[in-house]
Amino acid sequence: MRSTIARANFLSVVLIGALALALGWLAAQSERPLASPPFALHVALGVLAGALLIAQIALRLAVPPPALPARWSKGRRVAAAFCEFLVYLSLALLVATGALWGYFGGAPLEVFGHPLPVSPAADPRLSDILGAAWTQPLGLGGTTVSEALLAAHRLLGYALAGATILYFALGGFSRFSPAPPPPESAKLTPVLIERSPTAGLSARLRLFGWLQFWPQLAIALASAVLLQFSTSGRAFSPSQSGYGDAIYWSLFAFLLLCAATALAFFYTRAARSVAQADYLGVHKVTAFWFLTLGLAIGLIGVIVSFIGLSLSVSLLVAKTVSQPPGIAITDPNKIIRALDVFVLLVNFALLLAHFIGVGIAAFLTSEATRARFRFTIAEPPQESRA
């Protein structure tokens, strides 16, 4: 019973942490971040995730989780354990840096209507606390404590998102699932074993899963860097926010790409189960749920990234047309900025990545339909009862 509670609590910590990260990013895009509703929810969910994290650590000490499967390679077990540790560490540091940022910066943070304490003194400089010998070589001599904490808070957010995605992509949560029983075909003599109708599909799942995973992972990493530059540039050159902003759509397309990348890795892990002769007999309805989910994520990602790309192109065209030749432009809203180009590149890369996911998911879905048909015609009819 306690292991079930620990598993449910861990999922709650991960989901609430991911939701808090998304709300914090949305709040940063608004004109008044500290007064926006997403920021209030971001603070409240962050504190709630911190409380659940403390409970999760206590449950982990009281009920140690099952060991990672022995059939995994040593590198995979080490990577999964490291990602799980990084999830705990980054979430704890996220809550700590957020609370300290509000304390030193004097931000009016509230948790479900209750204000958090703030420092009565002015925001000190980082050099006053750590000393000039530590801050000057890093170029942080004029940085205040709240600015340093806010930068660390953002970097820890990326670390938490990356560690969570890699942990689930590696299959770390499968340690809580019971070991599957040996297939019935293993009990038969080699003479009676027939070729599985899903053997070809299993090989294609493994091949095309890797073909989708690596390009999407590379595009996701590059898009994360460009999105960081774009969001940082908005602080110096703010533009419109909401559904009319291309970067608003690129965020959701990026989150969908992260989910599609993790699902592509799951294709390669599911290939081993699909190769079993009785796979379609045991999982009649939910045999290829991951292919349906991958196709849906890809289609939604294509639509979202296409909208963001259209908004980026229309913005660049409008600014280009509004610039008369030979006349100096004094309105900053009519100047083509590097921020606009970054957002355009992000949306184009995300559109390409989702096109790859849709094409591979559609092809594998077609192959899965053929495998299901072969299994149906090969299955012997059941004898009717007298």
Side-chain angles (χ1 to χ4, degrees), residues 153-166:
H153 191 75
R154 291 175 176 173
L155 291 177
L156 288 169
Y158 287 110
L160 175 62
T164 304
I165 293 173
L166 287 177

Side-chain angles (χ1 to χ4, degrees), residues 21 70 72 95 112 127 186 214 358:
L21 289 179
W72 288 6
V95 177
F112 300 111
S127 57
W214 290 113
V358 167

Side-chain angles (χ1 to χ4, degrees), residues 54-260:
I54 296 175
Q56 178 64 23
I57 294 175
L59 288 171
R60 185 180 176 87
L61 295 176
V63 186
L68 293 171
R71 65 180 183 272
W72 288 6
S73 63
K74 182 179 180 181
R76 184 180 176 185
R77 292 197 301 268
V78 171
F82 175 75
C83 289
E84 183 179 5
F85 171 75
L86 191 58
V87 168
Y88 287 107
L89 180 63
S90 58
L91 183 56
L93 293 178
L94 268 171
V95 177
T97 53
L100 291 175
W101 170 76
Y103 178 80
F104 286 104
L109 302 183
E110 294 185 357
V111 180
F112 300 111
H114 298 281
L116 297 179
V118 295
S119 174
D123 190 7
R125 294 187 180 275
L126 200 61
S127 57
D128 298 337
I129 298 178
L130 301 179
W134 291 92
T135 57
Q136 290 295 340
L138 299 176
L140 302 176
T143 305
T144 61
V145 173
S146 62
E147 292 174 349
L149 289 171
L150 182 58
H153 191 75
R154 291 175 176 173
L155 291 177
L156 288 169
Y158 287 110
L160 175 62
T164 304
I165 293 173
L166 287 177
Y167 179 76
F168 282 96
L170 290 170
F173 198 71
S174 62
R175 66 164 66 178
F176 296 99
S177 303
E184 294 295 332
S185 59
K187 303 177 183 179
L188 303 177
T189 59
V191 179
L192 300 178
I193 296 177
E194 298 181 357
R195 186 175 183 271
S196 172
T198 55
L201 176 62
S202 173
R204 293 183 181 90
L205 271 174
R206 187 177 294 107
L207 173 62
F208 286 94
W210 288 121
L211 290 178
Q212 177 181 344
F213 173 77
W214 290 113
Q216 286 190 339
L217 179 63
I219 294 176
L221 294 176
S223 300
V225 175
L226 291 175
L227 279 175
Q228 178 63 26
F229 286 144
S230 302
T231 52
S232 300
R234 287 174 61 91
F236 301 98
S237 55
S239 58
Q240 60 178 343
S241 59
Y243 295 103
D245 192 356
I247 200 173
Y248 182 89
W249 297 92
S250 63
L251 166 68
F252 290 102
F254 175 74
L255 295 178
L256 290 172
L257 179 59
C258 293

Side-chain angles (χ1 to χ4, degrees), residues 258-278:
C258 293
T261 305
L263 197 60
F265 186 83
F266 182 79
Y267 291 171
T268 63
R269 303 298 96 190
R272 185 179 303 174
S273 301
V274 172
Q276 298 176 2
D278 59 342

Side-chain angles (χ1 to χ4, degrees), residues 19 25 33 144 180 188 191 197 210 261 272-273 293 304 313 335 344 361 365 368:
L19 183 58
W25 196 94
T144 61
L188 303 177
V191 179
W210 288 121
T261 305
R272 185 179 303 174
S273 301
L293 179 61
V304 172
V313 173
I335 301 175
L344 175 65
T365 302

